[in-house]
Amino acid sequence: MGPLAVNEIISENTNLLLAFIIGIGFGFVLESSGFSSSRKLAGVFYGYDTVVLKVFFTGAITAMLGLLFFSLFGWVDLNLVYVNPTYLTSAITGGIIMGAGFIIGGYCPGTSFCGASIGKIDALVFIVGLFIGVAIFGAGFTLWDNHYLADFLGSPKVSESLGLTDGVFALILIVVALGMFWAAEWAEKKFAREEY
Amino acid sequence: MQESINKDRKTKYLNPYLGGVLLGLVLLAANFVSGRGLGASGAIKSGVVSIVTAVNPEAVEKSGFIREYQGAHAGSPMKSWLVFEMLGVLVGGFLSGALAGRLKFKVEHSPKITSKKRLMLALLGGILFGFGSQLGRGCTSGSALSGMAVLSLGGFVTMMAIFGTAFALAYFFRKNWI
């Protein structure tokens, strides 16, 4: 059955309409969880507010389990679901540069749109920065295209790389996440701030 | 004043674990409908490609970056899944903010720094994040969150690099936040 667009059960235009509706859900959940506030987002790196960690990992695990169950029920063909390719070098260096951008700018791309939607000027300026950063990457592409394309591993699953089945890996990830949630609750008490 | 803001925060934000489950269901819906996860930086890329194409069509021929984009995306760059999704994010965020009474023009910053400094840092952070998202083939949404949901090795690696770096640098930027 699923994915609906890949199996041509819905038309391209319906797919785009659903993208808009899914985006509304995405923005609504992010904003109502507090992701429109840069000081709330940055809190995870100082321990006073760990909402990022809790929402992010609960979200990833919920979707991961949902896909595994959907596949089990025959509702979605996982072979047709896009698995992000792995270019090991740029996955690391890109992540490092993004991490620096996160702690300096206080947002990531999705959350900056969310902040801008409720009137945060700092989020709007961050978005301007995003456009500039993407343009710089494009303009200097020949300078770093070798780096960008280095160490291509295909689209491996992390479970395969570790020699585990998807289900066992999912279980381990859930246990790890529970440990992190426990640490997060502890950190919020230890590094609590009245005002931010 | 600050106290009342804190009370608002505590009462009006969603429980983070419930928020996470809802986020996961939205991400599951995206995969079920389109066969791909959520994303954000991809929409910025579409925007940049559109602007460059409109302003300087000659640059398109020369740009390996835009040729690569066109190889992966047929048709107009703005008629893409992620562009429609991000327009939805603006609407959804606005609706949630309106319902919770959080709509307000402001520059959010620590009392230890000025608004001007906050905006300079936001611009710098945005530039870095924009650049890094292209190098890493997706941002926190498209690479880390969506990648993790489909168990992509690259997704996990990028997630650890993003959060690890931000944690490692947090001490040096603490005055901007606490």
Side-chain angles (χ1 to χ4, degrees):
Chain A
M1 192 159 81
L4 301 181
V6 182
N7 284 328
E8 296 183 346
I9 292 169
I10 55 171
S11 71
E12 187 49 32
N13 285 338
T14 309
N15 190 23
L16 292 178
L17 174 68
L18 289 173
F20 181 67
I21 293 168
I22 287 168
I24 292 176
F26 187 27
F28 196 97
V29 172
L30 288 182
E31 206 292 323
S32 49
S33 300
F35 281 31
S36 52
S37 160
S38 54
R39 293 191 78 197
K40 210 169 155 60
L41 292 168
V44 70
F45 303 116
Y46 302 97
Y48 62 82
D49 191 328
T50 58
V51 65
V52 168
L53 184 138
K54 295 176 195 168
V55 173
F56 185 88
F57 276 92
T58 311
I61 287 172
T62 303
M64 176 187 72
L65 287 181
L67 281 172
L68 292 177
F69 277 112
F70 273 31
S71 164
L72 198 63
F73 301 153
W75 295 348
V76 72
D77 182 352
L78 284 187
N79 294 317
L80 300 177
V81 171
Y82 177 79
V83 176
N84 311 46
T86 301
Y87 293 78
L88 200 55
T89 310
S90 53
I92 296 170
T93 49
I96 289 173
I97 296 169
M98 285 189 268
F102 203 163
I103 197 68
I104 292 170
Y107 284 108
C108 60
T111 54
S112 67
F113 273 72
C114 182
S117 77
I118 66 157
K120 294 281 167 67
I121 315 284
D122 41 331
L124 203 58
V125 171
F126 186 92
I127 294 173
V128 173
L130 288 176
F131 275 86
I132 297 171
V134 173
I136 292 173
F137 183 86
F141 189 62
T142 48
L143 296 175
W144 35 72
D145 59 349
N146 284 335
H147 180 84
Y148 178 69
L149 297 168
D151 294 320
F152 178 54
L153 306 180
S155 299
K157 286 186 172 181
V158 63
S159 42
E160 292 164 4
S161 308
L162 296 171
L164 301 168
T165 63
D166 292 355
V168 169
F169 178 80
L171 180 65
I172 293 172
L173 188 66
I174 290 169
V175 173
V176 170
L178 289 174
M180 289 196 297
F181 295 156
W182 179 82
E185 298 293 348
W186 170 83
E188 281 187 5
K189 289 192 186 77
K190 177 152 171 80
F191 304 106
R193 293 179 67 79
E194 273 307 305
E195 172 276 321
Y196 60 85
Chain B
M1 181 65 196
Q2 288 294 359
E3 246 178 52
S4 67
I5 289 172
N6 272 310
K7 268 181 201 154
D8 283 354
R9 281 210 164 104
K10 288 205 167 70
T11 51
K12 285 187 177 168
Y13 284 129
L14 210 54
N15 174 294
Y17 301 110
L18 176 61
V21 169
L22 294 175
L23 175 64
L25 294 177
V26 172
L27 178 51
L28 180 61
N31 276 297
F32 180 70
V33 167
S34 75
R36 296 183 71 136
L38 300 164
S41 54
I44 309 271
K45 185 174 179 176
S46 295
V48 170
V49 169
S50 301
I51 293 169
V52 172
T53 311
V55 174
N56 187 359
E58 286 170 21
V60 174
E61 292 297 311
K62 291 185 207 137
S63 168
F65 178 67
I66 295 181
R67 276 206 307 274
E68 202 219 4
Y69 179 91
Q70 288 172 335
H73 306 77
S76 160
M78 293 311 278
K79 204 184 166 187
S80 84
W81 205 90
L82 290 178
V83 168
F84 278 78
E85 178 230 70
M86 287 309 289
L87 291 173
V89 166
L90 289 174
V91 175
F94 178 84
L95 288 175
S96 165
L99 288 173
R102 281 191 288 267
L103 297 182
K104 195 182 174 197
F105 284 110
K106 73 177 221 181
V107 178
E108 189 185 11
H109 63 89
S110 162
K112 287 181 191 156
I113 60 168
T114 60
S115 288
K116 193 180 163 197
K117 184 172 182 198
R118 167 71 186 118
L119 293 179
M120 297 294 288
L121 289 166
L123 185 69
L124 176 63
I127 292 172
L128 286 169
F129 220 125
F131 186 94
S133 70
Q134 296 313 301
L135 195 56
R137 294 175 174 77
C139 58
T140 338
S141 307
S143 184
L145 179 69
S146 303
M148 282 171 69
V150 293
L151 301 175
S152 156
L153 176 66
F156 276 87
V157 169
T158 302
M159 179 273 292
M160 287 190 278
I162 293 175
F163 286 105
T165 306
F167 265 115
L169 296 179
Y171 178 80
F172 304 102
F173 293 96
R174 65 191 182 283
K175 288 209 176 78
N176 300 325
W177 304 111
I178 55 176

